[in-house]
Structure formats: structure tokens, C-alpha cells
Amino acid sequence: MKKKRIISILLASAICVTFIGCGKKNDSSNVPDIKNNVTSSDKKNGNTDSGDDSAKSLKTLNNKQEVLEFSKEVMTKVENIFKKNNLDYTVANDYLRLAYKGQYKRLGEDYDVEITTSFAPYHEDDNEDGISFQYRIPFTDNTDVTKLNIPQLNVIADVMIEFDEKVKGKYNREQLLKRMNDELKGDVDGDRLFEFGSSNIKSEADCRVLSGGIELAKAKVKGNVKSAGVQYTFEKYDDYISIVDKGNKELTAAMKNCGLKDVVVNMEGYAQGKSDAEYDYRNETYCAGMEKNDEKSAFNIVYSFEGQYIPFDAENNKIKDTKYIEAMVKQLNSSEIFKNKFSYDEFMNEIYKRTQFKLDDNDCYQEVSMDGVKSIEVAINGDKKVMGFKIIFESPATVEGQTER
């Protein structure tokens, strides 16, 4: 059926995060227009030495579109394995992350299973980045893996058969599961394909936990596929000092203009305003502000936009009313002070793909592809009636011709 990492102290205190059950596929209508014409890397497993001839065969990804094409080609193969085994999953609409979190039942007991496929290609320097497949599944000591016949285990086996060079062309599923069972029982000498460990989780006290991962594909990613943001330039140090005060006064006025109530400047110097509607918890609240980056030697400009207690339609994975968000985005994009502009649709898309992972009880960590954006965090309350987000922008600055103190 189709449906669609540090939370700040403010956001964490505002939203009590809990999770719900098994994952579901995203709405394919939200998938960006990506052409599947990129071949996956010839080098798929193990460490790649820069002097190795095989490293020369690695595809170089020069921009975001090539990154998305490369990732989608590989992720779709994993997606098809989940479909073949009739197992629901959650996939981001940019196809950089696919995850499953659920359970299998044996002899009246439930055992938790986690499977994640992810690609993290956005960084400042040129890198070799792999698409990783990670899994975790517990077995009791008396489990016969060959007779377990659960889709979660079959997905793991099928992915290994298609992508793992130690397995590919050497084992079919039956043979691989027999090998896994022999290693679980300690009946194999020499090198092993699988790793089993113990768990400190009470419900897994008598279990051996199969956990591991493989690299599905690898590529060289140019560090400039994501921009650090629009450059700020200040001819005088005093101009750099005063930009924060100017920016926050502008934001305070913008919050009042868009209809938010009780607009104040909080302890961090940020503008904060509330809606006049009453909800089960507290009023819908927004907070925005600008600051100098005092944590590093670089003259960076940081600003933050945060929403708390936002009425949320969990069934459709939508914020019920986005008028305040739209007004603030319009303000940032029209301001001469906030130079790092961004797309409203892109921003909302980044929020919604994270809330979908939250709703499906998966880790919602996802790298941000938006230029000049350092992080986006989301949280959903226990009954899924309200949600919160925080976006942190960071842009480089030059002060009196210097880029750092």
C-alpha cells in the first residue's frame, strides 16, 4: 500500500517524540524526474586504494543530478528486492535513503529487525562515497535459519546475492541461508561471511544478533555538488558585528506582519511569535534569528528558522496550514540581509521526507542537499497531532578581506 540528528534543546523540549509501526513506501508522485542512465560503479566492495587501477573505473559524480541518478539506480534494485519479498519499507523521494524497521514472530515472541540502505554524498571535499546496506536481526540459539522463512531474512540474503562480491555467483538463497545457519551454530572453520554478537536488550537476552553490512556501489563525489552558501562580504568589522542586529529586527517585523502574536525577542536574541489558535498542547510557535558563528575561527553567518507545535495531519504527512512558514520563507527570500535564498517547495520536501521516516518508526536522519543549509531536524509528538522542525543555515563571510579571525 502506497503512502507516502541533533534536535535542538528548544525543539526537544517542545516535542515529545515517539514512534509508530512498520514502514511504507513513499508516494511515487513525489519522486524527482531522474533518468536511469547512470551505470553503477565497477568497484563495489572493500577499501579502494587510490593507487589501485580499479579506482580509475569509479564514476565521478559532478553535480546533484548525477548523484541522484547514481543513487536511484542502486536504491531501485534494493527496492525491487523488498517488493519481491512483499515487505513494506520507507524510501526518501530523492532515493538517498531506504529503511525498514519491524518485527518477525517466532513461537509467540516478537523480534526486532532493522535494515537501512543509505548514500551520504554531500560534503566539502572530493570523496569516494559508497551506498551502504546495513542490517540487524536477532536469532535464538535454537533457530534453524533454513526453516525460518521470513521476508526480512530473505531480503538480506537476496541483497547479498546481488551485490556482495563474496557471495555473488557463488551462492543461491538456499545455500546462503545454510551457510548462515552453520555459522550461527559454529559449524564453519576459517573466514566467515556473517557476524553474530550478543545484545543487552532484555527481550534479546537469549539471542545471537546477526548484524553487518555491505557496500552496494561506490563513486567519486565532487565536494562542490552542494554549495556552502552565498558569500557575505563586509568591508568593515563593524558591519559584520551589526548584521545580526539588523537581521533580527527585520525578522521581528516580519513575524508581526504575517499575523503571529506576542512577538518577542527571546534569550538567544531571536524573534519568536505564536499563533492565536488553541491546540491540545500549546500555541503554534515560530522562532527565527541570525547570529555570528563564534564557535569557529571562520567568519560565518548562521541563521535559524524553527517551528514548534505545528498542527499536523499524520495520515497525509502534511502540515495542516503553512501560511506562517510561507510568509517567513518569502521574507528570507526577499531580504537584502538574508542572502542565502532557498525554495519553499524544496524546504517543505525536506521536512516531509523526514516526518515520513518518523511516522514509519525509522531513523529520520537524512543529509541535506540544499545549498547553504547545515541541518534540518524534525520531531512528531506522541499522538501525531503536532510536529516541529528546525533548519540551520550557514554561509561563509569575508571581513576586511579575511575569511577567518
Side-chain angles (χ1 to χ4, degrees):
M1 180 179 70
K2 290 192 174 183
K3 278 179 58 180
K4 312 269 132 248
R5 136 185 327 179
I6 18 188
I7 295 292
S8 71
I9 295 175
L10 278 170
L11 189 57
S13 64
I15 305 292
C16 178
V17 182
T18 59
F19 301 107
I20 63 170
C22 62
K24 300 182 178 115
K25 291 172 255 186
N26 76 324
D27 190 326
S28 59
S29 64
N30 285 338
V31 177
D33 184 16
I34 298 172
K35 300 174 183 178
N36 290 312
N37 60 355
V38 181
T39 57
S40 60
S41 166
D42 295 328
K43 180 70 177 175
K44 295 184 179 179
N45 286 282
N47 295 325
T48 303
D49 187 271
S50 58
D52 191 347
D53 289 340
S54 61
K56 299 177 183 178
S57 66
L58 288 175
K59 185 168 206 53
T60 298
L61 307 178
N62 297 289
N63 53 56
K64 292 179 186 177
Q65 182 68 14
E66 291 180 2
V67 165
L68 296 176
E69 290 170 350
F70 178 77
S71 187
K72 186 175 182 181
E73 180 183 4
V74 177
M75 291 281 186
T76 299
K77 293 178 182 178
V78 177
E79 188 177 30
N80 289 336
I81 290 173
F82 274 86
K83 289 178 180 178
K84 181 182 71 174
N85 288 283
N86 297 312
L87 193 66
D88 284 341
Y89 56 92
T90 308
V91 62
N93 49 18
D94 57 7
Y95 276 80
L96 292 179
R97 185 174 180 84
L98 183 153
Y100 167 84
K101 186 174 182 180
Q103 297 175 325
Y104 75 92
K105 185 181 291 290
R106 184 173 185 270
L107 301 178
E109 298 290 338
D110 292 327
Y111 298 95
D112 294 331
V113 184
E114 296 182 26
I115 304 172
T116 303
T117 307
S118 60
F119 191 31
Y122 298 123
H123 37 72
E124 295 181 359
D125 303 318
D126 293 6
N127 249 359
E128 291 182 4
D129 290 280
I131 300 178
S132 66
F133 176 81
Q134 305 288 331
Y135 54 86
R136 182 190 185 280
I137 180 169
F139 301 129
T140 56
D141 287 339
N142 60 351
T143 299
D144 186 339
V145 172
T146 63
K147 296 180 180 179
L148 200 54
N149 193 26
I150 57 172
Q152 295 93 331
L153 187 57
N154 292 339
V155 164
I156 295 170
D158 290 348
V159 169
M160 292 181 69
I161 289 167
E162 180 161 350
F163 291 97
D164 193 339
E165 296 297 338
K166 295 180 293 184
V167 174
K168 191 175 182 179
K170 302 172 186 176
Y171 297 87
N172 58 31
R173 186 197 286 176
E174 182 181 358
Q175 293 168 332
L176 184 60
L177 293 178
K178 183 180 183 307
R179 171 79 183 209
M180 187 187 299
N181 193 66
D182 290 343
E183 293 190 16
L184 174 64
K185 307 303 181 186
D187 295 336
V188 175
D189 296 326
D191 295 339
R192 295 171 178 258
L193 295 177
F194 305 98
E195 294 184 7
F196 295 91
S198 59
S199 173
N200 58 4
I201 300 174
K202 186 176 180 181
S203 61
E204 298 175 352
D206 298 322
C207 290
R208 300 288 302 285
V209 179
L210 171 66
S211 62
I214 60 173
E215 190 173 78
L216 305 184
K218 196 169 188 176
K220 291 183 178 179
V221 183
K222 301 294 289 184
N224 60 0
V225 298
K226 176 184 174 181
S227 168
V230 175
Q231 178 81 44
Y232 281 80
T233 301
F234 303 95
E235 294 183 1
K236 299 178 181 180
Y237 184 76
D238 286 347
D239 294 338
Y240 173 63
I241 294 297
S242 64
I243 189 71
V244 171
D245 184 52
K246 291 178 182 178
N248 289 341
K249 283 180 179 178
E250 189 176 294
L251 286 171
T252 301
M255 283 193 172
K256 292 179 180 178
N257 289 339
C258 72
L260 288 169
K261 311 295 182 182
D262 302 325
V263 179
V264 298
V265 176
N266 65 22
M267 292 178 63
E268 287 75 23
Y270 289 4
Q272 180 174 299
K274 300 179 180 180
S275 71
D276 57 355
E278 293 292 336
Y279 297 106
D280 291 344
Y281 298 88
R282 302 181 188 175
N283 286 354
E284 180 178 3
T285 303
Y286 292 91
C287 180
M290 192 176 200
E291 64 186 46
K292 305 184 305 297
N293 188 358
D294 294 327
E295 298 178 359
K296 301 177 182 178
S297 62
F299 290 114
N300 292 330
I301 296 293
V302 177
Y303 61 99
S304 170
F305 178 34
E306 180 175 344
Q308 304 171 5
Y309 311 110
I310 304 171
F312 182 61
D313 177 2
E315 184 176 353
N316 296 301
N317 188 34
K318 294 290 182 183
I319 294 171
K320 289 185 176 180
D321 187 346
T322 61
K323 64 182 179 182
Y324 298 121
I325 301 176
E326 290 173 3
M328 290 303 297
V329 170
K330 183 178 180 180
Q331 164 61 27
L332 294 174
N333 283 340
S334 62
S335 171
E336 293 298 320
I337 296 175
F338 300 94
K339 295 183 180 298
N340 192 82
K341 317 305 181 185
F342 60 98
S343 161
Y344 167 80
D345 290 335
E346 186 179 13
F347 175 42
M348 296 307 297
N349 178 62
E350 291 285 340
I351 290 177
Y352 288 141
K353 67 186 174 187
R354 287 164 174 79
T355 49
Q356 183 61 61
F357 277 78
K358 284 283 192 186
L359 288 169
D360 288 346
D361 198 17
N362 286 295
D363 176 6
C364 72
Y365 170 72
Q366 177 104 6
E367 283 205 337
V368 185
S369 64
M370 295 171 64
D371 292 346
V373 178
K374 186 176 182 179
S375 64
I376 297 179
E377 313 294 344
V378 301
I380 302 174
N381 76 305
D383 59 10
K384 303 185 294 296
K385 290 184 178 180
V386 298
M387 59 84 66
F389 70 85
K390 184 172 184 178
I391 176 170
I392 296 179
F393 301 81
E394 185 176 72
S395 293
T398 299
V399 179
E400 297 179 355
Q402 304 296 314
T403 59
E404 56 186 48
R405 291 174 179 83

